[in-house]
Amino acid sequence: MIYLDCAATTPPFSEAIKAFEEVSLNCFGNPSSLHTVGFAASKVLENARNSILNCLGVSKSHRLIFTSGASEANSLAIKGAAFHYKNRGKRIITSAVEHPSVLKAFEQLGQEFGFEVIELPVNAEGKVEPETLENAMNKETILVSIMAVNNETGSINDLPALLKVVRKFPKALFHSDLTQAIGKVDLPLGDLDMFSFSAHKFGGLKGNGALIYKSHLSFLPLISGGHQEAGLRGGTVDVAGANAMSAALSKTYSLRKEEIARVQGLNAYLKQQLSEIDEASINSPSDASPFVLNFSLLRHKASVVVEALSEKGICVSSVSACNSKGEPASYVLLAMGKTMDEAKNSIRVSFGINSNKGDVDAFITELKVVLEEVNPR
Ligand code: PMP
């Protein structure tokens, strides 16, 4: 089996599974319990928290809340901050190509809670122009949420330039969804007010993620409950999962420089191979994250091709995994100005630590076969 869908999820590292197993077997306590078994679990949890903050270089300035993943972390950052700071202003800003966990949170705040929601357009490369953001900002703006790396195209936003705009408005907080960026793209993490990610995108386990935020900030908790996670997220914390996420992040960071360079080579090789297929039109901009390459088929139906590839043991995706049911055209590609035909027929190839040149060769070989076998649309 050739797995080239690492933007959907990565295979977990054995180190992460081991870290999970170790805690589940030997340190199963509730970290809130006031006895030795609880204290031991609490120690593991705090070690994982500190190790993640240290790894990301934000241990002095930021705090971390463990969540069930990036979707929950995005919701907590966006709704939690909007509710907490609602008396400062009502305008909240995001972009048209965010993950649904961001877009829907904004939509809810607008439709049901009276916030003034601005959804910024992107340019042909899928990026928010700093001037577009600047024109949308006003004194009422309390929150801006713009992703670092797009999950469908790998387009990278210029976060330093966007942050510079936001800083002209002292009441506005800047949140970024870093789910496709952690360990893959270098970013000014220490300058961000809040950022979110999911462990399973970098070798950790599904059901674990985090919101990291500047120490002076607060949120309205979305999950009410006990005093866990500084009172900002009720519920007994998944200590084993947190430990696995910490192990996965350490490994990702230790390999990151070589991996980025290696995957850049793979991406360039894939692009060169695709250039021999005349109906493949590349959608990812040339400076996108090397971990994602998105292209459209100009003559065949992408969903049929992806299914046929799957039958041949090749796993890639069409549209994004989160939207494939009921919404067949990519809203990300439409926002970039692609045609409806292109937006309905995109394929995403995404790399991870196990991806290699042989995978690309197998993908290209089978793609050529499938394009011969399957009727054009
Ligand atoms: N944001 C982005 C950019 C993503 O790619 C994803 C996963 N598809 C998420 C958020 C949500 O992650 P999770 O499903 O792990 O909560």
Side-chain angles (χ1 to χ4, degrees), residues 258-337:
E258 305 98 85
E259 268 304 292
I260 293 173
R262 194 182 69 81
V263 170
Q264 269 163 351
L266 271 187
N267 184 298
Y269 179 63
L270 172 59
K271 263 188 204 148
Q272 181 236 316
Q273 294 293 306
L274 280 174
S275 69
E276 291 169 15
I277 299 175
D278 67 344
E279 70 160 300
S281 165
I282 291 182
N283 297 316
S284 299
S286 55
D287 60 354
S289 159
F291 290 81
V292 178
L293 187 68
N294 185 302
F295 62 95
S296 289
L297 292 173
L298 302 182
R299 288 196 290 280
H300 285 82
K301 211 168 169 191
S303 56
V304 174
V305 169
V306 166
E307 214 177 304
L309 284 169
S310 165
E311 277 164 24
K312 293 177 185 294
I314 312 272
C315 301
V316 293
S317 80
S318 57
V319 195
S320 88
C322 306
N323 298 310
S324 51
K325 289 197 182 90
E327 202 185 331
S330 160
Y331 65 90
V332 173
L333 295 181
L334 288 175
M336 289 165 68

Side-chain angles (χ1 to χ4, degrees), residues 42-292:
S42 171
K43 197 169 165 200
V44 171
L45 186 66
E46 295 318 311
N47 281 344
R49 196 187 310 277
N50 291 332
S51 152
I52 294 168
L53 288 169
N54 276 324
C55 196
L56 297 172
V58 295
S59 59
K60 297 224 159 63
S61 49
H62 288 65
R63 294 192 180 150
L64 183 157
I65 300 173
F66 287 110
T67 67
S68 61
S71 296
E72 184 192 330
N74 286 338
S75 248
L76 178 56
I78 294 161
K79 293 192 231 174
F83 289 140
H84 186 84
Y85 295 107
K86 67 179 188 302
N87 294 332
R88 294 184 180 178
K90 281 281 167 147
R91 180 170 286 203
I92 55 175
I93 299 176
T94 189
S95 87
V97 298
E98 300 293 316
H99 185 266
S101 59
V102 169
L103 289 175
K104 297 282 176 190
F106 272 83
E107 194 181 294
Q108 201 182 22
L109 287 170
Q111 290 178 359
E112 291 174 41
F113 296 97
F115 285 87
E116 185 196 2
V117 175
I118 311 281
E119 211 178 277
L120 301 175
V122 292
N123 64 18
E125 297 195 320
K127 303 170 194 172
V128 176
E129 303 268 10
E131 304 79 64
T132 311
L133 174 61
E134 183 137 21
N135 291 336
M137 297 288 297
N138 67 11
K139 288 192 180 129
E140 286 293 298
T141 308
I142 57 166
L143 174 68
V144 175
S145 179
I146 297 177
M147 71 200 323
V149 175
N150 185 269
N151 44 301
E152 286 191 37
T153 60
S155 299
I156 302 175
N157 274 310
D158 185 350
L159 292 195
L162 296 170
L163 205 49
K164 212 166 146 191
V165 172
V166 174
R167 290 294 176 248
K168 294 182 190 170
F169 298 82
K171 280 197 284 191
L173 299 175
F174 188 78
H175 166 258
S176 189
D177 176 356
L178 303 191
T179 309
Q180 299 291 346
I182 289 286
K184 301 180 170 84
V185 172
D186 281 326
L187 293 166
L189 298 181
D191 297 335
L192 304 176
D193 294 314
M194 309 178 262
F195 57 92
S196 323
F197 55 86
S198 256
H200 69 103
K201 308 288 186 179
F202 53 80
L205 304 176
K206 287 162 207 54
N208 298 111
L211 172 63
I212 295 186
Y213 60 102
K214 280 206 175 140
S215 311
H216 66 276
L217 297 179
S218 198
F219 308 89
L220 186 85
L222 302 185
I223 303 177
S224 306
H227 52 275
Q228 296 97 343
E229 299 300 274
L232 298 176
R233 196 247 188 196
T236 305
V237 183
D238 176 2
V239 182
N243 199 40
M245 176 157 71
S246 164
L249 190 69
S250 297
K251 179 164 175 178
T252 299
Y253 262 62
S254 69
L255 300 173
R256 142 171 154 269
K257 287 218 163 72
E258 305 98 85
E259 268 304 292
I260 293 173
R262 194 182 69 81
V263 170
Q264 269 163 351
L266 271 187
N267 184 298
Y269 179 63
L270 172 59
K271 263 188 204 148
Q272 181 236 316
Q273 294 293 306
L274 280 174
S275 69
E276 291 169 15
I277 299 175
D278 67 344
E279 70 160 300
S281 165
I282 291 182
N283 297 316
S284 299
S286 55
D287 60 354
S289 159
F291 290 81
V292 178

